[in-house]
Amino acid sequence: MPVRATHATLSAGRDAVYDARARQGSLPIEFHLDDGSTLDGALILTSAEVEWLHQQISRLVDVHERAIGGTP
């Protein structure tokens, strides 16, 4: 039976990169496999996806700050 990815996480200590010429962003990620191993990878985003992800993360930060009693 083939090994399958269970989830992916952001790679610690590695920065996202934006290629203006290609109009793409890249986030380093680590795939976690069901056998316990991991693989390095990258999430490639178009400029529209980068903007959409920014909106989503901003929304999560607002919810998080409200949950811990901070101000959005």
Side-chain angles (χ1 to χ4, degrees), residues 1-57:
M1 179 171 236
V3 177
R4 298 180 60 152
T6 59
H7 64 285
T9 57
L10 296 174
S11 294
R14 294 178 51 207
D15 290 333
V17 175
Y18 187 77
D19 182 342
R21 200 175 90 221
R23 294 186 178 184
Q24 290 182 334
S26 173
L27 288 170
I29 60 174
E30 185 173 65
F31 293 100
H32 298 262
L33 308 177
D34 61 7
D35 69 354
S37 64
T38 59
L39 290 173
D40 288 334
L43 176 61
I44 306 300
L45 302 162
T46 65
S47 56
E49 291 168 331
V50 168
E51 291 179 23
W52 177 82
L53 186 58
H54 178 266
Q55 292 171 356
Q56 296 298 308
I57 296 297

